[in-house]
Every structure is written in C-alpha cells, then in structure tokens.
Amino acid sequence: MKVLMFGWEFPPHNSGGLGVACHGLTKALSNQGAEIVFVLPKKIKIEKTFFKIKFANSKPLKIISIDSSLTPYLSSHQYSRNEEKAGALYGRNLFEEVNRYARLAKRVAASEPHDVIHAHDWLTFPAGMEAKKNSKKPLVAHVHATEFDRTGGLNVNQRVYDIERAGLGAADKIIAVSNYTKDKIVSHYGIDPNKIEVVHNAVDPADWQNAGGHFGELKKKNKIVLFTGRLTLQKGPDYFLSAARKVVDYYPDVLFVFAGSGDMERKLIEGAAWLGLADKVKFVGFLRDAELEKLYRAADLFVMPSVSEPFGIAPLEALTCGTPVLISKQSGVAETLKHCLKVDFWDIDEMANKILSVLKYGPLREHLKEQGGREVGKFSWQEAAARCLGIYKGLTTV
Amino acid sequence: MPSVCFYFQVHQPYRVKKYRIFDIGRDSLYFNDSSESNLNNIKVLKKVAEKCYLPANNLILELLKKYPKFRASYSFSGVFLDQLEEHLPEVLKSFQELVKTGRVEVLAETYYHSLAFLHSKDEFKRQVKKHGQKIQKLFGVKPKIFRNTELIYNNELAREVEKMGYKGILAEGADHVLDWRSPNFVYKPKGAKKIKLLLKNYRLSDDIAFRFSSREWRDWPLTAPKFSQWISAINGNGQTVNLFMDYETFGEHQWSDTGIFEFLRHLPEEILKNPDNDFKTPSEVVKNYPAVAELDVHSPISWADIERDLSAWTGNILQQSALKSVYDLEKAVLKTKKKNLIDAWGRLQTSDHFYYMCTKWFADGDVHKYFNPYDSPYDAFINYMNVLSDFKLRLNN
C-alpha cells in the first residue's frame, strides 16, 4: 500500500498535537507495511527536498518538504503579520499560500506513485484535492480540528469554512478524531455520516520515559496544577484562570502552571495580576520533550479546560506520566476516557470544586493516577494505524 | 415439599445532593435535591411507588386473598420507611395491609441499610435495635429472622445475630461456599448453636429478577407453568426454594410491559397445582426443616455481582477511605446525643453511597450494571467527601 500523505512537521519541530498525531500514525503505518511518501510544508528556500527515514522494523518513510510558510493552526490574520517579516517569496495572504502549496503538491503527486492520498486538516485539503485530480486516486481527509473548534464557534472564517467543506466533499472517506468531531462535520458541513470513520488518537509511552528528577523547589511547598496547550480561545485558559482564583481562596498552597504560548498570553498575565494571583500563577512558555515531561510528572493534576477539543492528546500524555487529569466534557477524549474527572468548560465552580477535591483528597488522586495510568494503555497508534489501513483497503484494490 | 420461600428487599437510600467544596460550612441539608435528576429522592420514591410498590402490593394482597396457602416476606430498610412516612403514607399503608394478613413476615436488618457489621459491632447492634423498634411501631410485629445489607454474611455475623435472639438468617447461596451442596436445604452456620441459615437459590431467583425479559435467554419467555415445573423438579432433593430478590424487580427493573405482573399473578396457582409444593415464610422454614449440615463461611459473601463478595462497596481506595472517614466519627457523633446529627450520620452510612463509588469494570463501559445517579464514581466520591467535611465541622461546633 503506497500512501501519499500531506501532513505536518514531526516532533521536535511541531507546535502542537497535529505533529504528534502525524508522527504517531505515520510510524505505526510504516510499521504495518505501508509505504508512505510524507509531504510537508517547510521554509527551505528551495522548491523541494526529500530524505528517507526508517523506523525500526518498518518500511522506509520518504519525507518531501515543500518550500512554504504554512504552519498548523495558522489564522489568516497571523499569516499576514508573519509575512510582513518574511518577504515576497510566499503567498501574499494565507489563502494564496494554501493554493500555491497545492500547486506544488500536484507536481509531487505526479512524480510519486501512490494508491491513496491522505491529507491532515484544512490547510492541506487543497493539496490533497489537486493530487486527486492528477492521479485519480482516492482521497482520505483526516479531521483533527474544524474551524468551529478553533474559533469556539465565534467568527468562523467563511473562506476557511469553504475550503474545509470542499475538501470534505471531495474526499472519498473522512477520518474524524472523535465522535464529537464527527457530529460537527455532519451538522456544520452537511456530510453524510456514513462517509465518516472515527479513529481516536493515541499516545506512545516510549516518548515519555526519559525525564528524571522533579521540580524539587517548586513542589516543596506547593501542589501544582498544570495547563498545557496554546494560549488561545479554543483551549480555554481563561476559564482555568478563573477557576484558579476560586481554588486559591480555599487552598492557598498551590501553583497554577501555564505551559504554552499564544495570542491570549498577555491577556492572561494581566488577568492573573488583576485577580491577585501573580504569585500563584506561572507562565513558562512553550515546552517540549524532557522539560514538558518533567512538568507533567511534577504536577498533582493536569487540567484540559478546552472550549472545543476535537480529541485531546495531552491528557493521555499526562496520564502516561502518572498525573491525574481533569478534562473538558467538550472534547473527543472525554467520550472514551473513563478514569478521569470531567467538567463543562464553562462551569468554573465545578472546575474549582474538582481541582480542590484532587488537592484535598489523597485517595482520589491515587485512584485516578493508578486507574487512569492503566486505562491509557488502550490508546495505541498501532490500533489507529490498523484502522487507517482498513480504510485505505476499502477504497483501493491493492 | 419443596416449599417456596419469597423474600423481597425494599429499600431506597437518601442520595446525597450535588455538594461542592464551597458549600461546606454553609449548607447542612445533604439529601434535599429538588432537581429533575435521580438525586431527587422524593422524585425517585414517587416514580418507583407508581411503577412498583403500589401495583405489586395490590397484586400480592390479591394473591393472599385468593390463595390461603400463599406466603411472602419483606425486609424494609429504616431509611425507606422514613421516606414513606414523610412523603407517601398511602404506600406505607398498603404494606401494612399485607402484614396484617398474618401471612407476610417482616425481617430484621440494619436501620440505615449499612455496612456497620464490617466496621463497628456496637453501631451494628444499635441500628438493628432501632430498626426492630421501627418495625414494631409501624407493623406491630417483632422480627425473628435477620438479613444483613446486600445479604452480606459470614460465620461471625451468624453468631452475633444468634446472640441477639434471632432464629434464622439469610445469605446468598454462593457456589464457592456451597461447592457440591444444594441451596435448597436449611444449614447451620459454623460455630452457631441453633440459628438456621437460609440460602438464596440464585439461579431461580435471578431467572425472575434479571433474566425475565432477556430475549437472548434460552428460556425466554418465562411463564408461570414453566417456572413451576422447575420448582416441582426439585421435589425429592430439596426442602425449600428460597427466592430472594429486590422488590423493585416487579415493575421497576422488569417493566410492567414485560409481563412480570402477569407472571407473578399466575405463579401461586401453578405452583400449588402440584400438591407436594407449598409456600412458607422464612420463620416457617426454620420451624419446619432441620439443618442438614454445618456451613463454614469465613470470608464475607454477598448477593452482588459475579464475585458475590464485598468488592462492589469496599473494592477500591475511594470506597475504603470514605468508609473509614465515616466510621471514624462514631464516638464523636454519639457523644453529641443530638438526634439530627446521629440521624444524618446514619444516613451517610447507607451502602448505596459506596456502591456509587465502585470502579470495577468501569473502563469497560459496563455502566448499566451500576445504576448510578452521579455522572461517575469519582463525582460520587467528591460529593460524599465534601458532605462529610461539612458534617465534621458541625460535629466540632
């Protein structure tokens, strides 16, 4: 099975869950015998480059980088801001760049033999559609987030929406990362539910067993409650901050750590000061790998307060690191993870109540950690890859 | 022979309302949820009364009138009777009418449907005594047969209950204690002198309580003639068939449209068609049949789940720590001599609270097995511990 995949930078060059998912899935697919040509956008100043990597016991993976300034989670507003610095090499606005990338992708499709095309999220959908036009091979559109998730349903960008809908319409099969996302695709984009398969994301425990030591000094006096993720409306960091205010009144020996960056950072820092939480809240910026793992392990509770989370890999990472999790009910992972606490993102009182309960009641922390740690084993990329292979086979005669 | 011995359990807990940490010290009413959820105790009670208690009581009364040989027994938790007295006196009256016939026996249990025996013998005895007084007051009878919460049982309990003057005790006919023996005989608990042990025939009981409406079951649909044949087939190798089940089986667990009431309506007639069969109350079984052997049950058994052990209430550290926290308060609570505190503490001991915290099989999605008014066992624990924190504050003031 030869797969032409339009994806995103792997860790450690990723900037979020999309790269993690692409990496986990691709690795497991090659491991199960799929031959993957993995195409991704990257600023390289030459038109394209390629190299091969090989995971242990797997088919080699050919990676082709196309020169482009696209990155995941980009809004057209952010793109314009970035491009003022980058010069005239790339499209003048995000949509021009997406189309330019698609034209370059079409050339790749013409030179790389494949049986199926697999595209991850809307920025690559035009590339996938161009490739399909060229090769007449089936297209799988993989939805990790919709415009409705990214914007919390407010200020949905019509052009983004149009591209998403065109891609979903052109796809022969759609993979949604959760039933939560599947429902959104059906209700907002008018897609036949029978065309959509749900494949949950996963976590690779091998990625999380390196960091030794703990945040000794920080932990001595305080309990730690951790948020990781982009500081954007979608991720709900402002709800987390409001809950922190309530928690501190009842349990002062606690630190709230925000690991991530994003357009809400300033607002949050100011908000923390305004709420009198300056010494209770730490903004540590975007962390990855060993640093992030250390934080996961140091935390007494991980909170994912997302306003709309199509899946949510981070709680699985926290559980893998032995930390209990409190997750938003407005998430894909909440539909399948049982040994965790759940809350409506807007219910700040309940969020604070549950954070406090975990801080106060040791057996609760222990049980969530132990049972959640066991349960997280059911999320496997091998399983997700097997599902994808099944979908490819249903679309091809290979 | 054999005799059919019916025992129906009737119980409703005081479920704890949604109670956040912020409520501690501000709200001492724990059981007064008034939402549309299943934490609303009055709402649940009224619903079950309509679907089960009233129609089932009508039917049982009809059967008692029609068949002089028909018998049944009930065990009512004290917290159930409290709720009836307060909210549905007409339902209490319909139960009293059954007992007035003289052919319906009332059993003894712990007032709060609690796990007290496992945690405090003194509290256990206090609750059984309080329950006895309640039964005497409402039904004018003195129970002679004891059944512990969820049929939790071991040798030690039997000896304790014998000392308290009871003539018989009920337990689950669990395979792992019976081995090759049959539940259809009366036994003597190991180490006891005279008290007799009646064991639930769980196959025949569960045919009614669990499998009755299951279309995947080979014997579906279950009819009164078919069931009576199974009873008659025991003739010659058993003396009593103990059919023990939740009363809510009739109309609530098995809905009326499954035909459960029609089944029950025809059952006495079919069973009595065979002149070798009859009905007996637990006291009559104890009086009429000798103990055939001694049964040794060291570790506690119960009638719950496949395991028939305590794991549904005490299996995880949430349950264990909640139980420890509530029983640690015993001395402090009783010392206050305040009725409202002692009563609230009792209501917080009801086994259901701990059952809601059960996480066995939880990850497998087998939640239907654990009817739970809370979103998850974790929510049940958090709620309960918050309430207990408030209760401790009240104790210290």
Side-chain angles (χ1 to χ4, degrees):
Chain A
M1 179 70 63
K2 293 195 173 77
V3 187
L4 178 63
M5 191 176 280
F6 293 100
W8 300 94
E9 285 259 60
F10 292 167
H13 305 291
N14 66 316
S15 60
L18 196 50
V20 174
C22 281
H23 181 249
L25 192 62
T26 310
K27 192 171 157 182
L29 276 169
S30 329
N31 192 255
Q32 291 176 29
E35 290 175 58
I36 301 173
V37 176
F38 192 87
V39 187
L40 59 92
K42 197 172 187 173
K43 287 189 188 177
I44 44 177
K45 312 277 182 196
I46 49 172
E47 193 172 278
K48 67 172 191 178
T49 174
F50 81 90
F51 64 99
K52 280 189 177 180
I53 59 171
K54 196 172 181 303
F55 301 116
N57 310 315
S58 303
K59 292 269 184 190
L61 176 70
K62 183 173 178 182
I63 298 192
I64 298 179
S65 305
I66 294 181
D67 186 24
S68 166
S69 57
L70 294 182
T71 57
Y73 322 113
L74 208 53
S75 71
S76 65
H77 178 65
Q78 284 163 331
Y79 182 88
S80 307
R81 246 184 349 206
N82 297 346
E83 283 319 292
E84 283 166 20
K85 291 173 244 159
L89 192 59
Y90 307 109
R92 275 174 305 165
N93 64 46
L94 179 61
F95 303 98
E96 274 188 19
E97 183 60 13
V98 167
N99 288 330
R100 195 182 69 83
Y101 181 69
R103 283 195 302 274
L104 295 171
K106 189 178 177 179
R107 286 191 232 162
V108 175
S111 61
E112 297 291 336
H114 55 272
D115 306 306
V116 64
I117 306 156
H118 190 152
H120 294 274
D121 267 5
W122 77 276
L123 290 159
T124 70
F125 285 177
M129 288 156 75
E130 283 298 320
K132 180 182 171 173
K133 252 186 234 161
N134 188 278
S135 67
K136 310 280 186 292
K137 297 294 184 188
L139 170 64
V140 176
H142 201 138
V143 182
H144 299 262
T146 68
E147 181 68 359
F148 292 87
D149 301 301
R150 286 183 295 268
T151 60
L154 306 165
N155 303 316
V156 165
N157 185 309
Q158 185 63 36
R159 291 182 76 179
V160 174
Y161 172 80
D162 288 343
I163 294 173
E164 283 181 327
R165 201 169 69 166
L168 295 170
D172 298 276
K173 205 79 185 176
I174 295 165
I175 296 176
V177 291
S178 60
N179 287 301
Y180 174 81
T181 299
K182 177 176 175 174
D183 291 346
K184 279 211 155 74
I185 297 171
V186 172
S187 63
H188 290 303
Y189 298 83
I191 301 290
D192 175 5
N194 294 318
K195 195 169 134 175
I196 310 169
E197 298 272 343
V198 172
V199 178
H200 286 132
N201 283 332
V203 65
D204 187 351
D207 295 340
W208 303 98
Q209 40 187 245
N210 307 314
H214 287 292
F215 273 46
E217 285 308 306
L218 269 181
K219 277 225 75 165
K220 244 180 225 165
K221 232 182 112 270
N222 296 294
K223 291 262 192 310
I224 295 177
V225 183
L226 174 65
F227 168 98
T228 70
R230 278 171 286 121
L231 303 178
T232 59
L233 184 139
Q234 184 195 349
K235 300 292 178 178
D238 42 342
Y239 293 94
F240 182 60
L241 186 64
S242 303
R245 176 62 267 173
K246 292 194 178 248
V247 169
V248 167
D249 289 339
Y250 288 80
Y251 198 105
D253 295 332
V254 60
L255 277 181
F256 292 85
V257 177
F258 290 72
S261 57
D263 55 22
M264 280 173 80
E265 185 162 358
R266 231 182 96 184
K267 190 184 150 200
L268 289 165
I269 293 171
E270 284 170 6
W274 186 251
L275 290 170
L277 291 176
D279 60 334
K280 296 289 171 197
V281 171
K282 300 274 173 250
F283 292 88
V284 298
F286 179 78
L287 300 180
R288 63 165 76 252
D289 301 338
E291 277 185 321
L292 179 57
E293 183 173 346
K294 241 168 114 174
L295 202 48
Y296 273 141
R297 291 191 187 279
D300 296 281
L301 176 68
F302 171 85
V303 182
M304 183 181 78
S306 298
V307 170
S308 183
E309 190 66 60
F311 185 78
I313 295 178
L316 302 186
E317 295 174 345
L319 283 173
T320 302
C321 294
T323 299
V325 301
L326 165 59
I327 60 178
S328 153
K329 288 183 187 174
Q330 287 68 35
S331 72
V333 68
E335 73 196 26
T336 169
L337 188 66
K338 297 278 194 283
H339 288 288
C340 62
L341 301 180
K342 296 175 192 176
V343 65
D344 289 305
F345 74 88
W346 43 262
D347 193 347
I348 291 173
D349 278 347
E350 184 62 7
M351 197 185 295
N353 179 47
K354 286 191 161 142
I355 293 171
L356 279 165
S357 299
V358 170
L359 301 181
K360 246 180 91 171
Y361 305 129
L364 178 62
R365 217 157 53 231
E366 283 308 304
H367 196 267
L368 283 167
K369 174 181 163 160
E370 188 196 309
Q371 294 297 316
R374 195 171 299 169
E375 189 187 1
V376 76
K378 79 183 183 191
F379 297 90
S380 127
W381 285 119
Q382 292 296 342
E383 167 76 24
R387 296 279 319 281
C388 287
L389 275 175
I391 291 165
Y392 300 157
K393 281 178 187 147
L395 294 172
T396 61
T397 49
V398 180
Chain B
M1 291 191 295
S3 303
V4 170
C5 175
F6 268 122
Y7 139 61
F8 304 123
Q9 178 62 36
V10 200
H11 164 62
Q12 291 293 336
Y14 281 100
R15 298 164 195 85
V16 175
K17 71 178 174 189
K18 193 141 192 54
Y19 197 95
R20 288 169 171 168
I21 282 184
F22 319 111
D23 300 321
I24 297 170
R26 293 179 189 168
D27 183 357
S28 57
L29 300 172
Y30 309 144
F31 313 106
N32 66 338
D33 180 285
S34 57
S35 73
E36 282 305 302
S37 83
N38 281 329
L39 293 176
N40 180 334
N41 294 309
I42 303 173
K43 194 198 94 172
V44 174
L45 188 70
K46 286 187 172 160
K47 186 191 79 179
V48 182
E50 207 161 289
K51 286 172 75 179
C52 165
Y53 304 142
L54 286 171
N57 285 0
N58 276 338
L59 177 54
I60 297 285
L61 191 63
E62 178 190 319
L63 295 173
L64 286 161
K65 284 182 181 156
K66 199 165 170 192
Y67 306 101
K69 286 185 168 174
F70 184 64
R71 303 281 188 279
S73 70
Y74 289 83
S75 191
F76 308 101
S77 69
V79 284
F80 171 72
L81 295 171
D82 282 345
Q83 293 186 75
L84 283 194
E85 277 186 286
E86 192 179 345
H87 303 294
L88 294 176
E90 68 276 17
V91 177
L92 178 59
K93 198 159 161 266
S94 74
F95 279 114
Q96 286 165 329
E97 276 176 38
L98 298 181
V99 178
K100 264 190 221 154
T101 64
R103 287 179 283 138
V104 168
E105 181 169 14
V106 183
L107 310 184
E109 65 167 277
T110 57
Y111 195 93
Y112 298 103
H113 197 274
S114 73
L115 305 171
F117 181 75
L118 303 169
H119 295 90
S120 163
K121 300 285 179 295
D122 288 342
E123 174 61 10
F124 171 73
K125 281 186 251 178
R126 186 184 80 84
Q127 287 187 20
V128 176
K129 190 174 158 202
K130 184 174 162 74
H131 182 261
Q133 290 165 344
K134 184 85 171 182
I135 298 300
Q136 182 81 51
K137 183 185 140 210
L138 293 180
F139 297 98
V141 295
K142 186 168 182 266
K144 296 187 182 63
I145 307 291
F146 183 80
R147 78 105 230 178
N148 197 20
T149 305
E150 305 286 354
L151 284 197
I152 292 170
Y153 172 88
N154 68 359
N155 297 334
E156 194 191 354
L157 174 73
R159 291 197 292 261
E160 192 68 47
V161 165
E162 178 169 45
K163 273 192 253 163
M164 293 161 77
Y166 294 96
K167 310 289 179 218
I169 184 165
L170 312 188
E172 171 69 39
D175 288 333
H176 70 275
V177 298
L178 274 172
D179 198 6
W180 54 272
R181 286 166 290 233
S182 157
N184 306 326
F185 291 94
V186 174
Y187 290 85
K188 183 177 93 71
K190 186 178 165 79
K193 294 189 184 70
K194 277 182 68 186
I195 193 170
K196 285 176 179 166
L197 173 59
L198 274 61
L199 298 171
K200 173 183 157 192
N201 182 317
Y202 75 80
R203 287 190 181 83
L204 288 170
S205 299
D206 293 351
D207 284 344
I208 301 174
F210 298 141
R211 287 181 283 274
F212 183 80
S213 60
S214 165
R215 286 170 188 244
E216 287 97 74
W217 180 36
R218 167 171 68 95
D219 287 305
W220 185 89
L222 183 59
T223 60
K226 194 192 283 183
F227 193 80
S228 304
Q229 277 175 24
W230 296 343
I231 298 285
S232 297
I234 290 166
N235 203 354
N237 50 37
Q239 295 176 317
T240 171
V241 179
N242 299 322
L243 300 177
F244 299 170
M245 63 196 72
D246 284 334
Y247 199 37
E248 290 81 11
T249 298
F250 303 97
E252 169 69 8
H253 300 167
Q254 309 290 344
W255 289 14
S256 172
D257 60 12
T258 64
I260 191 77
F261 288 113
E262 284 313 297
F263 169 80
L264 184 60
R265 177 170 282 120
H266 292 105
L267 195 59
E269 181 187 352
E270 290 297 329
I271 285 176
L272 294 170
K273 269 185 187 167
N274 183 336
D276 289 327
N277 300 339
D278 67 358
F279 290 91
K280 280 191 168 52
T281 63
S283 276
E284 289 171 337
V285 170
V286 164
K287 206 180 287 169
N288 283 279
Y289 301 124
V292 295
E294 184 175 87
L295 201 66
D296 182 6
V297 182
H298 180 74
S299 301
I301 56 170
S302 78
W303 71 358
D305 306 336
I306 305 162
E307 296 91 341
R308 302 290 205 274
D309 61 9
L310 302 183
S311 55
W313 307 276
T314 67
N316 69 36
I317 54 170
L318 304 176
Q319 298 166 310
Q320 290 155 15
S321 75
L323 279 161
K324 182 170 181 332
S325 301
V326 74
Y327 282 103
D328 277 352
L329 302 177
E330 179 173 354
K331 263 191 197 152
V333 171
L334 296 178
K335 212 172 68 187
T336 65
K337 298 208 163 52
K338 283 193 180 141
K339 191 184 171 303
N340 64 334
L341 288 177
I342 296 173
D343 218 32
W345 180 59
R347 289 177 184 185
L348 290 172
Q349 290 181 47
T350 299
S351 65
D352 302 67
H353 302 310
F354 311 101
Y355 189 78
Y356 300 146
M357 300 173 196
C358 178
T359 49
K360 247 189 332 180
W361 315 122
F362 178 48
D364 305 337
D366 193 13
V367 282
H368 66 274
K369 251 176 104 175
Y370 299 105
F371 172 69
N372 194 339
Y374 300 95
D375 286 346
S376 86
Y378 296 108
D379 289 40
F381 174 82
I382 290 171
N383 237 34
Y384 184 85
M385 294 307 283
N386 288 345
V387 160
L388 216 53
S389 297
D390 180 78
F391 185 73
K392 280 187 210 169
L393 275 185
R394 288 166 67 198
L395 272 186
N396 295 334
N397 288 341

